[in-house]
Structure formats: structure tokens, C-alpha cells
Amino acid sequence: MLTIRNLHAGIEEREILNGINLEIKAGEVHAIMGPNGSGKSTLASVLAGREGYTVSRGKVDFLGKNLLELSPEDRAREGLFLAFQYPVEIPGVSTTNFIKTALNEIRKYHGEDPLDAVGFLKLMKERMKLLQIDQSLLSRSLNEGFSGGEKKRNEIFQMIMLQPKLAILDETDSGLDIDALRIVAQGVNQFRSKENGILVVTHYQRLLDYIVPDFVHVLYNGRIVKSGTKELALELEEKGYDFIKNTTSETEPA
Amino acid sequence: MILSRIQPVKQNQLKKKNLINWKKSKNSMRDMMDPVQYFTIKHQQLQDLKKDSALSVIRNKGLEAFTRLGIPTLKHEEWKHTRISGLFNKDFEFAIDQAVPSLSDQEIKALRLPGHEVANEIVFVNGCYSPSLSRISTGDHQLRIVPLEEAARNEYREFVSKHLGHSGNYLKDGINALNTAFAHEGVFIHVKKGHAIEYPIYLYHITDSRTNNNYSQVRNLILVSELAQVQIVQTFGTIGPLESFANEVTEIVAERDSITSFYKIQNENSNANLVSTTHIHQIGKSQTHTVTISLDGGIVRNNLNIVLDAENCESHLCGLYLIKGQTHVDNHTTVDNVKPNCFSNELYKGIMDEQATGVFNGKIFVRPQAQKTNAYQSNKNVLLSNKASVNTKPQLEIFADDVKCSHGCTVGSLDEEALFYLRSRGIGEKKAQSLLLHGFAADILEDIKIKPIRDYIDHLITERLEYEES
């Protein structure tokens, strides 16, 4: 589904990613962990097409397409979704209208008819329950004045409304209390299927108790220095990132 | 914050055009004399025509002030970004004694605002109140509309002489004085004590520029009595292809426990120039809401004064200028806290595209005795083109020590991060941009409490931003 080959990217002259290799197949959940500044969020941003990053080397293939050549909107329309670490507040645009517009733009891209108001509301009501999102939240301006937990729940709600093929969750656990974390994880697990891929980017192991990954990768200095199964996350939790810093001088990329 | 000044090139172009035109009309402002001379002669004609008028004295005072102050140039602090004097060099005709031109139903219909079926409609043509085109459905015992000349003579005599011209204490320039010098064909509107007027009042200011460039002006006075409530919508229209220049002043007096909403809608073409003054004097504990929407025009200057002259007054001032082309919109607002414990909240937003220029100047005065004043002001601007510009200036003069005042202004382009957020959900760049701009503008509309008017403006904005609801 997603194949990253020797990806080098950075901001202006500064290289942050130094040759990332990663393959995610349909049905898999991958977790990328790493200390602050290791390049986790840069990887998520480059994949989603955020401006300001330059890719100097490497290739990213997404469902047979060269991902890096697509505009951010076309990446989304092809089935990529980024749950933001810091969801943006958009005054004057209601969450409902925003999701409806996005959904119909994606449908249009695939040559499908737009959902009418009734069909959309029905779909929304059904999926709201899953994330315990209140109707009043959806009629408010997008993320404006939302609590940290509400913003993250809203991100996952957008994900299950738009039904992407690959979801990248960028530090979705940051700023969440344990109850909110459970709700968010429940939404993600609902989304999890044989057809979908998930890339969880996180600093802490905590989230992975709820969203159990098939593979865990450790990112350090812009490279994946260690890959393993979910036990790797536990080992990291126990020993801390220093264990990686001390043991990696020249490790083969996964 | 000063971003850029009005292009001087524009003025040169105007002058050239004038040289070709200015002698065509025998009765025009440019007919071999300067504007002050021109208006002095016109004034004398009017005074001779209306010898017994109760408004003669105030008109004389107006002319005296006009000749003393003259037409403001860019050197005048309040007009430094709006080249109003350029308009006075043009070939405008000002008819004081001419019969109101006849307009067909069809012509009026095009200017009517949604919701007019149930509104009290008051129509002015070339600055003259037209009873035949107006339609008042609310009864006399609740709402009374009297020609200003008549009100200056009848039982409202004392009220008129006390309050007409109060705006002159705040607007010390020749434009306001000029309006006073020719105050004659406006109306006096009385919203009577204890009545909440069910149907809004729509004020239409129509200028006929079919045969010549037309200068017109009107002076209105409105009294909102104790415990009364009223919603007023004001709009402007020009019929004909030539240029128009309207100088309009509306003075409003709000008494104890009254609620007044005043919505101004400007959506003319680039040949229509306008100075529109709304002066609200809150003489009792009262509430006022104003929304000023400017979508199109040539040179548009709005003066809005709120005088909080009783304790516990409340005032909300909102404005939106969404402009492109060569349109110039200048909003000058003043909130004067005369008495203690008053609250005011002001929010103006601007979106400028192409070569449009915006000006925002917001004054807040807090007099020494006006303790416990709460006054807030914010002005936010988005520039969509590098040829568009805006000058924004908050001006706070606070002479009391126990007050809460804040102000802020921003000028920028669209938020890149917000744009990316929308695009990352599959929304195309153009659509994302219009969604964001619509969102930026839309919260101003929430203050418009007349639904057909709010929907209408929303529609105009949506159309302008090429944003369609999906």
C-alpha cells in the first residue's frame, strides 16, 4: 500500500530525514516511535504534503502512484489521511459543513455523486456515537474553542467519516486523558480492517496498549534504527530512548 | 499600521477625465468656479426658495461652517487616506429645486431588499423623500414619519432643534457641514414609546445618474423613545450609467431602555461614491447594534459615531468590507464614553482583492468621569493581492483610570496552516480558500438579526467568493 524508499527530506537546507525505508501493507498497523526531534512529525508532514519541506532523495509509492507528485488534496482523495498533532481552528466553518465538503470533493474525484443532506446526516449520526461526539460540537466552528480531547476525537471522527485507505496518526495521544484515549483508540480499532493501513506516530508506548501494532519502528536522527514487533515498544518503555542512542551507531535500516 | 498609501497615479487619471468633461454641463460644480463658491450660490437659492423654513437657521450655520472648513484634502487628519476632494473637482450636478424624477416600479424593484414585503419602506430619490414611493405599514401610533421641515415646525420642534446637528460636534469637516447647509428634504422618524416595531424600516437612498453626474444629499433624524425597539436597514442604489456622489447623514437619538439595530448595506457599482454618516446619541440607558457591510462602490466613506451619554449603555459595532477592483472603503468610527459603566464592542473585518483599498480608523474616547468603561475594538484584514492595501489605525484616548479597553488589528494573507488542513482532507485549494474567507466574513453576519437580510448578504458574499455549498 505504502512503500517508502530511501527518503531524504528536510526544511530548507537542514536535512531531517536521512533515508527512511518503510513498507506498509493493507491490514497492517505500524507504529513509529522515537525521541523528540528524531523526525517523526516531519515524516508525517512529508507524506501528507505539507508545504515548506523539501524532498532531496527517495521515492514514496502509494497504491501504485508517486505520492510525492500529488497535491495535498489529491493525496487525501487517493485515500491518505493525516490526523494532525495540532488540529487547526477554523472560525466560521462548521465541522459538519467541512466534513460534508471534504467527503463530496473526494466522491467527485472518484466520479461518484455527492451525498445529499439526508444521506450525509444519516451517516454522520451513525458514526458520531462511536466517538461519543455531541451534535452541538459538530455545528460549532471547526475546532474553535474545542478542548484538546475534543480536537483529537474530532480528527478520528473525520477519519471514520472519510474512510481513507491509509491513516497516519501524528501524536494523536498527546494531550489526552485516559478516558479520551480509550475513546480515540476505540474509533481507530473500529476503522482497522484487512483493507486499511494505519501508521501510528507516537512518543509514548501508552497509546499502543490500546491500538496494538503489528510492527514497531524506532526513528532516531532521521533513520529507522530498529524494527520489531509490539514487544519492542515495551522494551523502549522500560529502558528509555537512551538505550537506542547508546546502542546505535551504525544499524542497518529496517 | 500603515501598509501603503493610495496610488497617486489614480488621481492624475481622474483629472484628465475631468478636463474633457467639465464644461459640458451648465449647472455643474465645475462650472467656472470652485466648489465653495458653487455651494454658496446653491445655498442662497435654497434659502430664497424656502424663506419661512424652520431649518433656515441651522442651514446657515452649516454653510458658515462649510465655508470656514472647506473641502477636506489629504492634509486633513481624518481624510488623509480618502481623496474626497477629487470628487468635488468632478462634473457633478446638484439640483436643489428640481422635482423628484419619476422612477418606474421596475427600476425600484431592482433595488428592493429581501423581506421588503413586510417592511416599512422609505424611499429617497436624489436626496428627497418620496412619499409616493414609500410604503409604511406600521400604524401612526407606533411609528411616525414626518418630513424634516415639518418636524422642525410642529410638536417635535424642540427635539429637532436640540438634536439635529449633534454629529457636527464630532465631525469637524466641510463634508458634514455641507450636508447641514442643505438639510431640507429628509425625514424625521419617531419610534414611539413602549413599542417594539414588528416590521423593520428599510431606507432606500436612490441616486438618478441617467442624464448627468449627480450629487445628492439627505439629512434624517430618528428618535427611538423609551422602551421602544426598532430595526433599520439602509441601502444605496444608483440608477443610470453616470457617476453619483451621495452625502448622507442620519442622526439617531436613543432613549432609556430602547434597543436600536441599524444595518447599512453598500453594494453599488464603481461609479457610485458615497459619504454615509450614522450618528447615534444614546441619551438614556439603551442598547444599539450596528452592522456596516460594504461590498462594492467607487469611493465609500462611512462615519459611525456612538455617543454613550448615559450610564449602563451598550453598543455593538460590526463591519465587513469585502472589496475588489478599484473600490475604496473607509470606515471611521468613534465611540465616545461620556458617562460611566458603559460597554462597547467593535469588530470590523476586511477582505481586499485586486487594487482595492481599505481604511479603518477606530476612535475610543473615555472621558474623565466615565469610570468602569468597558470598550473593546478589533480590526482584522486579509489582503488577497499584492496590489491591495489597507490602512488601519486604532485611536484610544482615555482620561479615566478605572477602565477596561482593548484594541487590536491584524493584516495578513490567508492562514497557510488552515489552508493545508482543509486541503489535507481532500478539499481543493480554491474551494479551501473560499471556505476560509467565507468563514472569516461570516461571523459579522451573525449580528444581523433580520433573517432575509442576513441570508441575502450571505448569498452575495458566497457568490463573490465563488464558494458553493456542497
Side-chain angles (χ1 to χ4, degrees):
Chain A
M1 170 175 277
L2 181 81
T3 312
I4 305 174
R5 292 251 176 273
N6 192 28
L7 181 67
H8 290 251
I11 297 174
E12 287 165 3
E13 295 302 293
R14 197 164 60 92
E15 196 160 87
I16 300 169
L17 302 180
N18 293 305
I20 301 269
N21 290 288
L22 181 67
E23 172 145 23
I24 299 175
K25 295 199 177 80
E28 292 176 353
V29 175
H30 289 243
I32 288 198
M33 299 184 71
N36 289 332
S38 58
K40 300 189 300 289
S41 284
T42 300
L43 177 62
S45 293
V46 168
L47 293 178
R50 189 192 295 270
E51 274 178 39
Y53 293 89
T54 45
V55 175
S56 48
R57 282 168 73 187
K59 269 187 165 176
V60 181
D61 179 281
F62 179 56
L63 297 167
K65 290 217 160 83
N66 181 351
L67 185 76
L68 301 175
E69 276 182 354
L70 300 177
S71 65
E73 52 269 38
D74 280 350
R75 296 179 196 203
R77 292 161 180 172
E78 289 290 343
L80 188 86
F81 182 91
L82 171 67
F84 279 50
Q85 183 179 2
Y86 304 108
V88 187
E89 300 197 3
I90 315 273
V93 179
S94 77
T95 307
T96 309
N97 186 28
F98 165 66
I99 298 177
K100 193 170 135 205
T101 306
L103 192 65
N104 282 335
E105 287 259 294
I106 292 169
R107 290 177 72 97
K108 198 166 89 187
Y109 182 78
H110 294 287
E112 293 162 358
D113 286 337
L115 269 189
D116 61 17
V118 179
F120 175 77
L121 281 177
K122 193 164 160 263
L123 187 72
M124 197 174 75
K125 286 225 162 96
E126 201 179 281
R127 299 190 177 165
M128 262 160 54
K129 285 189 204 123
L130 201 65
L131 285 158
Q132 302 180 20
I133 281 183
D134 194 62
Q135 174 84 55
S136 66
L137 197 74
L138 298 178
S139 53
R140 275 164 56 188
S141 285
L142 184 56
N143 293 326
E144 198 182 39
F146 285 22
S147 71
E150 284 171 336
K151 282 181 184 170
K152 295 298 175 80
R153 259 191 288 165
N154 190 13
E155 291 292 290
I156 302 305
F157 177 62
Q158 289 172 35
M159 181 186 76
I160 62 169
M161 283 298 290
L162 300 179
Q163 287 293 318
K165 299 196 177 78
L166 175 71
I168 303 167
L169 313 180
D170 188 8
E171 308 260 2
T172 295
D173 51 335
S174 69
L176 287 188
D177 63 28
I178 201 74
D179 292 330
L181 192 67
R182 276 205 192 100
I183 296 168
V184 162
Q186 201 185 333
V188 175
N189 288 327
Q190 184 84 14
F191 168 74
R192 192 172 181 170
S193 76
K194 280 193 184 115
E195 288 82 41
N196 295 332
I198 299 173
L199 179 62
V200 183
V201 175
T202 180
H203 187 86
Y204 300 105
Q205 190 270 338
R206 187 177 73 147
L207 179 66
L208 306 180
D209 285 342
Y210 299 92
I211 305 168
V212 181
D214 300 307
F215 301 98
V216 174
H217 312 276
V218 182
L219 193 65
Y220 181 59
N221 280 342
R223 300 179 77 171
I224 290 175
V225 294
K226 208 169 172 60
S227 293
T229 51
K230 62 181 186 208
E231 285 73 25
L232 178 59
L234 293 168
E235 193 182 354
L236 272 176
E237 179 79 359
E238 192 187 319
K239 297 182 179 169
Y241 283 112
D242 282 345
F243 140 76
I244 293 292
K245 290 177 191 172
N246 297 335
T247 56
T248 53
S249 45
E250 279 302 315
T251 316
E252 278 302 302
Chain B
M1 187 185 300
I2 291 168
L3 278 187
S4 75
R5 288 170 192 284
I6 298 160
Q7 300 287 322
V9 184
K10 202 167 150 188
Q11 183 63 9
N12 291 337
Q13 284 167 349
L14 293 180
K15 270 190 184 150
K16 249 185 220 160
K17 199 168 138 201
N18 288 334
L19 284 177
I20 303 162
N21 280 342
W22 73 269
K23 272 202 169 172
K24 255 188 355 203
S25 164
K26 283 287 158 234
N27 199 23
S28 83
M29 270 183 214
R30 281 291 307 259
D31 215 9
M32 308 217 254
M33 56 183 96
D34 76 0
V36 175
Q37 256 181 306
Y38 175 82
F39 282 111
T40 305
I41 292 168
K42 284 277 174 184
H43 177 82
Q44 198 51 52
Q45 286 172 4
L46 175 67
Q47 295 295 65
D48 289 348
L49 205 71
K50 309 209 165 191
K51 280 203 174 67
D52 308 322
S53 165
L55 295 170
S56 270
V57 177
I58 186 168
R59 283 198 292 261
N60 277 335
K61 280 186 191 162
L63 188 81
E64 182 275 318
F66 173 67
T67 48
R68 181 162 42 82
L69 297 163
I71 286 159
T73 64
L74 295 188
K75 285 181 193 140
H76 193 293
E77 184 58 30
E78 304 301 330
W79 291 89
K80 62 195 279 191
H81 301 298
T82 298
R83 198 180 287 276
I84 203 73
S85 56
L87 289 177
F88 286 93
N89 292 329
K90 286 195 178 184
D91 187 24
F92 281 109
E93 229 177 272
F94 177 32
I96 49 152
D97 47 356
Q98 181 186 289
V100 174
S102 62
L103 294 172
S104 69
D105 278 353
Q106 218 48 31
E107 281 160 322
I108 300 282
K109 202 177 168 189
L111 298 168
R112 286 215 149 97
L113 292 173
H116 66 85
E117 300 84 356
V118 296
N120 291 293
E121 295 185 289
I122 302 177
V123 179
F124 301 89
V125 181
N126 292 346
C128 300
Y129 168 49
S130 165
S132 63
L133 294 173
S134 302
R135 208 172 40 92
I136 313 300
S137 50
T138 301
D140 235 11
H141 61 293
Q142 294 189 22
L143 181 69
R144 205 164 153 209
I145 289 141
V146 186
L148 191 60
E149 284 272 8
E150 196 184 315
R153 266 184 272 118
N154 69 12
E155 69 265 33
Y156 294 115
R157 189 174 59 238
E158 269 181 46
F159 179 85
V160 172
S161 79
K162 189 170 173 194
H163 292 281
L164 190 72
H166 195 259
S167 59
N169 300 340
Y170 290 81
L171 301 166
K172 296 190 189 327
D173 62 49
I175 306 289
N176 185 264
L178 181 61
N179 183 287
T180 308
F182 291 91
H184 70 123
E185 286 286 2
V187 292
F188 171 71
I189 300 173
H190 185 194
V191 184
K192 294 201 172 170
K193 184 174 170 179
H195 289 287
I197 306 299
E198 188 182 354
Y199 304 122
I201 299 172
Y202 286 10
L203 302 172
Y204 297 95
H205 296 278
I206 300 167
T207 310
D208 174 12
S209 69
R210 286 176 296 191
T211 50
N212 52 271
N213 292 336
N214 195 318
Y215 172 84
S216 66
Q217 58 162 60
V218 66
R219 181 65 159 254
N220 295 324
L221 181 63
I222 301 172
L223 167 61
V224 186
S225 283
E226 287 176 21
L227 295 152
Q229 288 180 34
V230 67
Q231 294 175 316
I232 301 165
V233 183
Q234 184 182 41
T235 192
F236 304 84
T238 295
I239 295 175
L242 299 172
E243 286 212 53
S244 68
F245 177 14
N247 177 6
E248 173 268 333
V249 178
T250 297
E251 294 175 314
I252 301 172
V253 177
E255 289 189 342
R256 180 174 63 82
D257 296 317
S258 65
I259 302 174
T260 307
S261 301
F262 195 90
Y263 310 130
K264 190 180 290 197
I265 302 165
Q266 295 159 338
N267 189 27
E268 296 193 80
N269 58 40
S270 57
N271 285 331
N273 306 288
L274 178 64
V275 178
S276 174
T277 299
T278 306
H279 179 87
I280 305 181
H281 191 183
Q282 297 185 229
I283 60 170
K285 168 185 159 282
S286 53
Q287 249 190 57
T288 59
H289 301 259
T290 54
V291 182
T292 305
I293 308 278
S294 310
L295 301 175
D296 204 351
I299 293 175
V300 177
R301 163 67 171 250
N302 294 311
N303 295 309
L304 174 62
N305 302 332
I306 310 287
V307 184
L308 302 169
D309 205 357
E311 282 200 52
N312 299 305
C313 281
E314 190 178 320
S315 182
H316 299 261
L317 304 80
C318 283
L320 171 70
Y321 38 106
L322 170 59
I323 48 178
K324 59 178 185 176
Q326 307 241 329
T327 300
H328 174 85
V329 172
D330 175 349
N331 279 296
H332 264 64
T333 68
T334 301
V335 177
D336 184 11
N337 292 273
V338 181
K339 296 280 160 63
N341 287 308
C342 290
F343 171 89
S344 65
N345 193 10
E346 176 169 19
L347 174 62
Y348 271 68
K349 287 186 170 184
I351 300 173
M352 268 104 352
D353 200 357
E354 298 171 0
Q355 288 128 284
T357 49
V359 179
F360 174 80
N361 183 292
K363 291 192 190 73
I364 296 175
F365 296 132
V366 182
R367 308 274 186 107
Q369 67 277 16
Q371 299 293 358
K372 307 277 181 198
T373 288
N374 278 299
Y376 305 100
Q377 182 190 95
S378 171
N379 174 229
K380 295 178 177 172
N381 296 284
V382 174
L383 299 177
L384 295 177
S385 126
N386 50 19
K387 285 187 180 155
S389 70
V390 64
N391 287 282
T392 168
K393 183 180 166 196
Q395 201 178 331
L396 277 60
E397 294 182 24
I398 301 169
F399 300 100
D401 50 17
D402 184 14
V403 302
K404 279 186 199 148
C405 289
S406 75
H407 67 89
C409 61
T410 57
V411 180
S413 46
L414 272 182
D415 181 1
E416 287 293 328
E417 187 60 19
L419 208 51
F420 174 63
Y421 187 59
L422 265 56
R423 293 176 71 191
S424 79
R425 298 296 181 254
I427 300 171
E429 190 173 6
K430 266 213 115 84
K431 191 154 202 164
Q433 179 172 330
S434 44
L435 258 177
L436 288 178
L437 288 172
H438 188 269
F440 175 78
D443 66 342
I444 295 294
L445 305 190
E446 278 166 30
D447 257 56
I448 301 176
K449 302 298 178 206
I450 303 172
K451 194 171 181 297
I453 296 290
R454 188 175 61 240
D455 291 348
Y456 168 67
I457 309 272
D458 195 25
H459 171 75
L460 291 176
I461 290 172
T462 303
E463 217 174 41
R464 175 74 68 82
L465 296 172
E466 295 171 42
Y467 153 78
E468 6 139 356
E469 190 104 8
S470 56

